[in-house]
Amino acid sequence: MNILLMLREAFYGADPNLIEELKKIGNVKVLYTDKGIDKEELKNEVKDTDIILVNIVQIDKDVMDAAPHLKYIVKFGAGVDNIDIAYAKQKGIRVTSAPGLNAQAVADHAFGLMLSAARDIPKKDKEVKSGYWETTMGSEIYEKKLGIIGFGAIGKALAKRAMGFDMKTLAYGNYKDYELAEKLNVRFVERDELFKEADYIIIATSLTAKNKHLVNKETLSLMKPSAFLINISRGQLVHEEDLIEALKSGKIKGAALDVFEKEPPANELPKLENVVATPHIGGATYDAVVRISDLSISNIKNLLNGEDLDFEVL
């Protein structure tokens, strides 16, 4: 059994047990994906692979066709937008994900980004360390309106945290859990109302063909000039050139971004003064990696034993 792991380097250090447990199952090959992997190189690497464990690398038709022995793709995370699910089904390749297992980590990071942007914390930290001491004014999040795009595991975790800041929470998305929303003081609204009313907007929805560039010139024009945009989901949900224009012109006050259309980003967006940027680390906590590792190992064992797989993408 040949197992190919394609994860960011830090993930392996977060749970050293992952590789050791997989070595008990079969031959393990590791590829670090921090800077991406060339498509032709990837096709060569997968040719003898039975199982792929992957975080963000694209596993499309070409990659699957280059892997004649491939039986199973393990998504090391929740969103499966980097995997051609329809083609995997057509080829009889099974796919599982890990929904909700990094939701708390991502929600924590989203609030960290929101507070950092509101109070300009990264910039002030650099100034103090360089010996410069100046008071500047920031924004509060207490009792402000939080708009959450997407009300899945991460969206719910965000709403729960927002209660501690007495925020008024709006949510927009296809999935509506009215019972929980009532407990968390969440009001479901349509897209335009959320963009118009929210002081802080956090994107926490999965990427689909229909919502690509959900944040664009039109939706940005609806936002308050005092509002902030936070994205901890997928970079493709934001039209980056439109966001750059909105940030430069003052149409919105600022943004905090953990994800970008191209990673690492090649444009000026992360360098703007009113942007806080992090390198796609929302789900990168020791706790989350261990939870996902345990599920991945369990599912691989289930596959080999002919048992049902948890969180199979049907």
Side-chain angles (χ1 to χ4, degrees):
M1 183 65 59
N2 294 315
I3 304 170
L4 176 64
L5 277 72
M6 295 189 289
L7 302 175
R8 301 170 82 178
E9 187 171 2
F11 285 7
Y12 298 106
D15 186 12
N17 186 56
L18 172 63
I19 294 178
E20 293 307 310
E21 286 299 312
L22 291 176
K23 283 182 178 178
K24 297 175 184 178
I25 298 171
N27 301 313
V28 178
K29 181 188 292 185
V30 173
L31 292 179
Y32 298 133
T33 64
D34 299 72
K35 296 182 180 179
I37 297 178
D38 177 78
K39 182 70 166 288
E40 292 306 312
E41 176 190 352
L42 178 57
K43 287 165 64 176
N44 183 62
E45 292 286 357
V46 301
K47 61 184 179 182
D48 296 319
T49 299
D50 299 288
I51 298 171
I52 291 175
L53 196 154
V54 62
N55 183 223
I56 57 175
V57 172
Q58 293 290 323
I59 308 298
D60 59 14
K61 178 181 183 296
D62 293 339
V63 175
M64 292 184 220
D65 284 344
H69 308 292
L70 185 61
K71 303 175 183 65
Y72 180 27
I73 301 171
V74 184
K75 175 59 191 278
F76 202 84
V80 291
D81 50 279
N82 61 312
I83 301 170
D84 189 334
I85 300 297
Y87 194 66
K89 289 180 182 177
Q90 183 180 324
K91 294 204 72 170
I93 299 169
R94 302 177 76 176
V95 181
T96 58
S97 63
L101 296 191
N102 66 2
Q104 302 305 324
V106 176
D108 282 352
H109 192 62
F111 262 77
L113 287 173
M114 181 162 59
L115 287 163
S116 295
R119 300 304 300 271
D120 214 3
I121 292 172
K123 181 180 179 181
K124 304 316 291 184
D125 173 69
K126 289 180 182 178
E127 289 179 356
V128 172
K129 286 177 178 175
S130 68
Y132 184 69
W133 189 275
E134 181 189 40
T135 298
T136 53
M137 306 305 292
S139 303
E140 296 182 4
I141 69 172
Y142 175 69
E143 290 191 339
K144 296 295 176 64
K145 285 187 178 179
L146 172 63
I148 302 173
I149 300 176
F151 201 63
I154 295 170
K156 292 172 182 176
L158 291 169
K160 188 172 183 179
R161 285 159 175 75
M163 293 181 72
F165 290 89
D166 287 340
M167 301 186 85
K168 301 172 181 66
T169 303
L170 313 175
Y172 162 71
N174 293 326
Y175 177 68
K176 297 178 176 65
D177 185 334
Y178 288 100
E179 183 178 351
L180 185 61
E182 184 176 358
K183 293 178 181 178
L184 298 178
N185 297 322
V186 173
R187 180 166 63 92
F188 290 110
V189 297
E190 294 303 313
R191 184 199 71 174
D192 288 3
E193 184 176 354
L194 183 142
F195 276 92
K196 287 178 182 177
E197 291 195 16
D199 299 295
Y200 299 89
I201 295 175
I202 300 180
I203 307 173
T205 188
S206 300
L207 175 67
T208 68
K210 292 182 179 180
N211 65 14
K212 182 179 180 181
H213 290 166
L214 172 69
V215 177
N216 54 44
K217 188 184 293 284
E218 177 192 355
T219 49
L220 287 164
S221 70
L222 300 173
M223 293 176 66
K224 301 175 183 179
S226 58
F228 293 84
L229 177 73
I230 297 96
N231 190 6
I232 42 79
S233 182
R234 290 291 185 269
Q236 292 82 357
L237 289 159
V238 176
H239 191 294
E240 291 188 344
E241 292 305 313
D242 290 350
L243 178 58
I244 289 170
E245 192 278 329
L247 289 164
K248 283 185 169 183
S249 65
K251 288 181 180 177
I252 66 171
K253 190 164 187 178
L257 310 169
D258 185 49
V259 290
F260 297 85
E261 288 203 74
K262 180 181 179 182
E263 296 180 354
N267 58 22
E268 63 179 318
L269 179 57
K271 300 175 183 177
L272 297 180
E273 282 291 313
N274 51 349
V275 170
V276 175
T278 52
H280 203 150
I281 58 171
T285 65
Y286 292 101
D287 315 77
V289 167
V290 169
R291 286 192 293 268
I292 298 173
S293 293
D294 288 347
L295 173 65
S296 301
I297 294 166
S298 174
N299 262 337
I300 290 172
K301 290 179 178 178
N302 286 350
L303 178 81
L304 298 180
N305 292 329
E307 299 173 2
D308 291 339
L309 304 181
D310 292 321
F311 305 114
E312 185 162 11
V313 182
L314 301 174

